[in-house]
Amino acid sequence: MSPLRLRIDGATFRDPQNREVTLHGINIAGDTKLPAKPDQPSHSKDGFFDGDHVSFVNRPFSIEDAHTHFARLKRWGYNTIRYIFTWECIEHEGPGKYDEEFCQHTVQLLRIAKGYGFYVFMDPHQDVWSRFTGGSGAPMWTVYACGLDPQKFHDTQAALVQNTWPEPSEFPKMIWATNYTRLACQVIFTMFFAGKDFLPKCIIDGVNIQDWLQDHFVAACRHLAQRIHEAGDLHGDVVIGYETVNEPNKGLIGHPDLGEIPKEQNLKKGTTPTAFQAMLSGSGRAIEVPTWEFGGMGPYKSGTELVDPRGMTAWLDPDTWDDTKYGWKRSPDWELGSDVFAQHGIWNPTSDTLLEPNYFSKHPSTGEEVDPEYFINNYFLDYYRKYRHAIRSLWPEAMMFFQPSPFDIPPRIKGTDIDENNLVFASHFYDGITLITKKWNRYWNVDVLGVLRGRYSNPAFALKVGEQAVRNCFRDQLSEIRKEGYEYMGSHPCIYTEIGIPYDMNDKQSYTTGDYFSQSLAIDANHFAVEGSKAQGYTWWVYTASNSHYWGDNWNGEDLSIYCSEDRQLPTSAPAPGELSPAPSSSSLTPRVSPDNLKKTLSVESMSASPSSLSGRTPAEKAGFRAAEAFVRPYPIALHGKLDAYGFDLKQSLFTVSLTTSSQVPDDAPSEMFLPAFHFPAQQTHVEVSSGKWEMRTIEVEGETKGEDAGIQVLKWWYGAGEQKISVRGVKRQRGAGIAGGEAEDEGYLKQYVEMGKQCAVM
């Protein structure tokens, strides 16, 4: 096995030259949530319930297209990939039936990624458990194993699934996430993490459903990891580690009162039943439930709606279902066709009365209080130990990317057996207001983390007013999350493995006008937050190879991909005159001979000009760069010493880095920084350093089409011991005007919000 390309040193990543490495990454790919054969986006109804006979080979993309996608990402400056796979990709046909063709496809793609020098960590992805419960992740047979019938979810609202929506194009935006608080997910996640304690009658193949589900999931992940390990040239060279599981959910574990909506249930949209109401409608009862909408000031109750399944239940009918289909044996104490919560005495199906509203708030055996903190420190850690053992039994040096539920307090593992060197704190961050409303709120936002941590006597005080205040609010939240990781988990690198923005803002106006001004502002604000948080990196959500303007990422109406074939691609060289306003200074360059591992070193002066102006074109031809000027940005690739701070001011096209070192930079291992030529064309770039010498050089990357060459522009810097700073000024972009009416609308929202004062609601 090759020497590790990356190691952990306290809270930092370091390369073999002992330089501090920043992980500047991207999630690939949104396509992986969906089968490739048949091609089945979440808006397609045809053959949806034939879940056993699918294939994910060619996800995230085909071998033939891999160079195109990897080369594009490399040119955009990314050095890290969060590689998405799902349980369904591996074991869709039935328990223990692994798709070896998919495993080998993954190995081949990872080998190609290795040729581009990426760091890769593997993400066993899930969203609301499965495609058949409205998201992605687990195979369909796991839903059956839990006693549920996915073909009845629409009528009972046990899950809202776009594939079964009457008109998929009208599926409400972002409502898929409310499935976490609907019956199917509440059943399955409770079983997965705590079935032994709370649902002891659920025995399958002689073990509790908790162990049965976990063992199958962990074994599937281990099987893929084993195939990667057997390749012999991937672990440690391109694959650096494995994430635990995407956005774990506690189901009903710790639920304070099944008859009430818990105060911490921040996402309320559409029909919003209590857990008990969801049990009733899942058992065929007609229930009137409150409805909620998400407006400019947060969620608000909009009315009520009758959910009437007309006697249909979400549970498998024992008269038509046969467990021998998949070969498992269910305990006779687990009665098919009836609610498992009723079977455990939580409610009475004869009188439809709730008997044990606090059932999940106390441990059935010990009487201990069970809450979100108990969940992460007990049930999730038990799962983590099982998963870690499976991966480390194959590859002891694997980095484990530990991901708690988003915005939850991390587990208290400092000083325990889990607090070990090869651990990474993996967290997520999204601006919920922008994500739900699909509008960039430029002038106000809310300190959501501060509200969740109880730092304000009233949520109204969490309001942040002004563009810079919004940016600082994001930065401060990310910084606090990183600090919480250190406080509770110990000294480990912090990575934001998901952060992103919706592109279909303002009713997709950008796709008509070509103006991505709002998206550019939102992307820049989020990157400003990451850079200022002092985290060790991030992986942006998401790159989707099949994205389109109409269907977005082809999944639940989401449209977060930084790439779409319908948009113009950002030029890989200096922008044309007239598109940019040059900065006042420039720098001369001195190319040197390339290291042996580089194909070619080019003189930066040889780079070609950018595309011509868009003036005079039709609206369709004026498609913008999909705000790429905001996400293609400079960053420190590898630094000699300790990184103190870095950031990119997009408005001023100013990149700054400060660091501290106790020794001189070796001649053969200078500090390196990625400088996109779009922002820093060679003859229009001015560099100031506190000491030492620097140079810029361009490294060739294979083109997207035959004969096309483009380069990555890298600045190399040599300096002595002490505190050091570098400032790189490029060209200032002519910022386009915002979408018509956008600023006035923002101001209206702001005025409304301030006037609401104490009555405001916060996601």
Side-chain angles (χ1 to χ4, degrees):
M1 183 182 296
S2 303
L4 295 176
R5 288 180 57 227
L6 200 67
R7 65 180 176 86
I8 293 177
D9 179 18
T12 63
F13 296 104
R14 294 199 175 271
D15 66 9
Q17 290 75 40
N18 204 37
R19 296 177 298 181
E20 182 174 344
V21 173
T22 298
L23 300 190
H24 186 84
I26 186 73
N27 280 263
I28 68 163
D31 315 79
T32 308
K33 296 181 179 185
L34 307 163
K37 185 178 180 180
D39 185 8
Q40 199 167 68
S42 70
H43 53 264
S44 173
K45 295 183 177 185
D46 296 341
F48 176 61
F49 289 110
D50 190 13
D52 299 347
H53 304 109
V54 295
S55 171
F56 289 78
V57 176
N58 291 333
R59 297 297 192 213
F61 32 70
S62 68
I63 300 300
E64 293 74 22
D65 293 338
H67 284 286
T68 295
H69 297 297
F70 285 139
R72 180 180 296 132
L73 293 170
K74 193 69 177 179
R75 277 194 291 275
W76 285 347
Y78 293 113
N79 68 357
T80 303
I81 288 171
R82 184 187 189 223
Y83 194 103
I84 301 166
F85 70 94
T86 67
W87 183 0
E88 188 185 10
C89 292
I90 305 166
E91 202 178 4
H92 49 80
E93 189 175 350
K97 297 179 180 179
Y98 300 132
D99 190 331
E100 293 293 351
E101 189 179 358
F102 172 79
C103 294
Q104 291 309 312
H105 175 75
T106 303
V107 166
Q108 291 179 67
L109 282 182
L110 290 172
R111 194 163 278 141
I112 295 172
K114 173 185 173 182
Y116 287 86
F118 288 112
Y119 303 111
V120 176
F121 61 95
M122 308 298 292
D123 162 38
H125 204 85
Q126 74 81 32
D127 305 278
V128 296
W129 186 257
S130 169
R131 288 193 299 128
F132 306 96
T133 52
S136 68
M140 184 175 66
W141 53 263
T142 64
V143 182
Y144 293 134
C146 294
L148 292 161
D149 187 345
Q151 298 192 50
K152 300 176 181 177
F153 288 168
H154 178 75
D155 290 312
T156 60
Q157 291 200 11
L160 303 184
V161 182
Q162 188 184 19
N163 299 82
T164 61
W165 203 254
E167 185 54 57
S169 63
E170 297 175 2
F171 191 63
K173 58 187 179 184
M174 289 305 298
I175 203 164
W176 69 264
T178 67
N179 284 318
Y180 279 122
T181 53
R182 299 182 189 274
L183 180 67
C185 279
Q186 289 177 331
V187 169
I188 298 173
F189 280 104
T190 303
M191 288 180 168
F192 184 86
F193 284 112
K196 287 188 291 188
D197 287 336
F198 291 105
L199 301 171
K201 292 183 180 181
C202 296
I203 303 297
I204 186 169
D205 287 340
V207 298
N208 186 270
I209 187 66
Q210 173 185 338
D211 288 330
W212 194 88
L213 288 171
Q214 285 193 17
D215 289 349
H216 276 289
F217 173 65
V218 170
C221 293
R222 188 184 189 278
H223 185 83
L224 178 61
Q226 183 174 354
R227 293 293 180 259
I228 294 171
H229 192 73
E230 290 169 350
D233 62 340
L234 299 177
H235 275 162
D237 199 358
V238 57
V239 176
I240 61 174
Y242 289 78
E243 201 162 7
T244 45
V245 66
N246 184 67
E247 297 183 354
N249 186 267
K250 59 185 179 296
L252 291 176
I253 303 164
H255 197 296
D257 186 340
L258 299 173
E260 302 289 339
I261 296 175
K263 63 179 182 180
E264 64 267 18
Q265 184 175 322
N266 300 303
L267 178 57
K268 294 185 282 288
K269 185 175 175 66
T271 52
T272 307
T274 66
F276 180 48
Q277 286 176 323
M279 295 174 193
L280 290 171
S281 62
S283 291
R285 278 55 161 188
I287 300 294
E288 189 167 331
V289 301
T291 58
W292 288 69
E293 294 298 333
F294 201 98
M297 295 170 286
Y300 63 92
K301 189 174 179 179
S302 59
T304 61
E305 180 178 315
L306 181 67
V307 178
D308 186 2
R310 299 177 302 281
M312 181 182 291
T313 80
W315 302 96
L316 286 172
D317 184 349
D319 293 333
T320 59
W321 174 258
D322 186 355
D323 274 340
T324 62
K325 173 180 173 65
Y326 292 104
W328 58 61
K329 184 175 177 59
R330 198 182 306 265
S331 168
D333 293 334
W334 184 354
E335 182 185 347
L336 275 186
S338 66
D339 183 293
V340 294
F341 302 127
Q343 293 181 53
H344 286 83
I346 297 171
W347 67 284
N348 186 329
T350 301
S351 61
D352 289 351
T353 54
L354 182 59
L355 304 176
E356 297 285 348
N358 313 119
Y359 182 80
F360 294 100
S361 65
K362 291 190 181 298
H363 193 285
S365 300
T366 66
E368 290 178 89
E369 180 182 355
V370 177
D371 56 14
E373 185 177 353
Y374 186 95
F375 166 78
I376 193 69
N377 283 281
N378 292 274
Y379 294 115
F380 187 73
L381 287 187
D382 289 344
Y383 157 77
Y384 171 71
R385 288 185 174 95
K386 183 181 293 188
Y387 179 81
R388 179 183 64 174
H389 174 75
I391 299 300
R392 291 272 179 81
S393 65
L394 289 170
W395 182 31
E397 295 82 12
M399 294 181 188
M400 303 304 297
F401 288 72
F402 188 104
Q403 184 194 146
S405 300
F407 284 106
D408 278 4
I409 295 175
R412 298 178 182 274
I413 63 170
K414 201 170 185 176
T416 70
D417 63 305
I418 297 177
D419 180 15
E420 40 94 9
N421 187 57
N422 270 6
L423 186 72
V424 178
F425 174 36
S427 189
H428 288 183
F429 178 84
Y430 288 98
D431 166 25
I433 293 174
T434 301
L435 197 63
I436 300 296
T437 64
K438 297 202 175 185
K439 173 181 172 57
W440 172 239
N441 295 283
R442 182 180 179 186
Y443 296 116
W444 65 268
N445 212 289
V446 175
D447 177 10
V448 174
L449 185 69
V451 173
L452 294 175
R453 298 295 184 265
R455 296 184 184 130
Y456 301 97
S457 58
N458 188 289
F461 300 135
L463 178 68
K464 304 298 178 183
V465 180
E467 187 168 5
Q468 192 57 47
V470 170
R471 291 162 62 89
N472 292 344
C473 176
F474 289 0
R475 179 201 61 197
D476 294 345
Q477 288 181 79
L478 267 65
S479 182
E480 282 302 312
I481 292 171
R482 178 186 60 80
K483 291 175 182 176
E484 285 181 348
Y486 178 81
E487 178 183 354
Y488 290 94
M489 298 178 63
S491 181
H492 304 285
C494 172
I495 299 295
Y496 290 99
T497 57
E498 280 190 30
I499 183 169
I501 63 104
Y503 273 87
D504 53 342
M505 294 182 185
N506 307 295
D507 296 321
K508 301 187 178 183
Q509 264 190 297
S510 299
Y511 299 152
T512 302
T513 64
D515 182 353
Y516 287 89
F517 185 68
S518 291
Q519 292 88 341
S520 181
L521 290 176
I523 292 170
D524 185 48
N526 280 271
H527 279 87
F528 169 84
V530 173
E531 293 162 0
S533 72
K534 297 190 176 182
Q536 282 65 53
Y538 74 99
T539 48
W540 189 262
W541 185 269
V542 62
Y543 183 95
T544 302
S546 60
N547 179 279
S548 69
H549 284 178
Y550 187 80
W551 286 114
D553 296 329
N554 293 304
W555 184 83
N556 279 330
E558 285 202 348
D559 188 3
L560 284 81
S561 176
I562 61 172
Y563 170 74
C564 178
S565 62
E566 298 172 46
D567 289 292
R568 293 174 64 206
Q569 298 298 295
L570 192 73
T572 54
S573 56
E579 285 198 282
L580 298 176
S581 173
S585 55
S586 61
S587 171
S588 60
L589 307 173
T590 310
R592 301 200 329 176
V593 178
S594 68
D596 292 339
N597 65 333
L598 300 181
K599 293 181 180 178
K600 184 179 179 183
T601 299
L602 301 174
S603 168
V604 184
E605 288 93 324
S606 69
M607 301 172 72
S608 61
S610 68
S612 59
S613 170
L614 292 173
S615 61
R617 296 185 179 182
T618 64
E621 293 174 313
K622 289 183 179 179
F625 297 137
R626 204 170 173 86
E629 71 277 359
F631 65 76
V632 178
R633 45 202 299 130
Y635 71 97
I637 301 171
L639 294 182
H640 180 83
K642 177 184 176 297
L643 175 63
D644 294 324
Y646 81 98
F648 176 52
D649 185 331
L650 179 59
K651 283 185 179 180
Q652 301 300 321
S653 193
L654 178 64
F655 175 55
T656 57
V657 177
S658 61
L659 58 89
T660 306
T661 177
S662 59
S663 62
Q664 182 173 321
V665 176
D667 288 342
D668 60 348
S671 288
E672 297 183 1
M673 299 163 216
F674 171 68
L675 293 182
F678 187 75
H679 292 298
F680 301 97
Q683 299 305 319
Q684 295 173 282
T685 297
H686 179 71
V687 180
E688 293 183 1
V689 296
S690 53
S691 69
K693 61 181 181 179
W694 60 270
E695 67 177 33
M696 290 167 63
R697 59 174 66 176
T698 299
I699 304 167
E700 177 188 329
V701 176
E702 288 186 25
E704 296 173 20
T705 58
K706 187 175 181 180
E708 177 188 351
D709 286 329
I712 297 174
Q713 187 170 253
V714 175
L715 184 145
K716 296 176 181 284
W717 180 25
W718 293 261
Y719 45 82
E723 296 181 356
Q724 303 291 345
K725 294 182 179 180
I726 186 170
S727 172
V728 186
R729 187 177 296 276
V731 294
K732 288 192 286 187
R733 181 165 301 283
Q734 300 278 7
R735 303 301 294 268
I739 292 173
E743 294 193 13
E745 187 177 355
D746 274 340
E747 290 167 0
Y749 272 120
L750 174 60
K751 183 177 180 181
Q752 275 188 321
Y753 201 97
V754 172
E755 289 176 353
M756 285 295 290
K758 295 181 180 180
Q759 299 177 27
C760 74
V762 182
M763 174 180 171

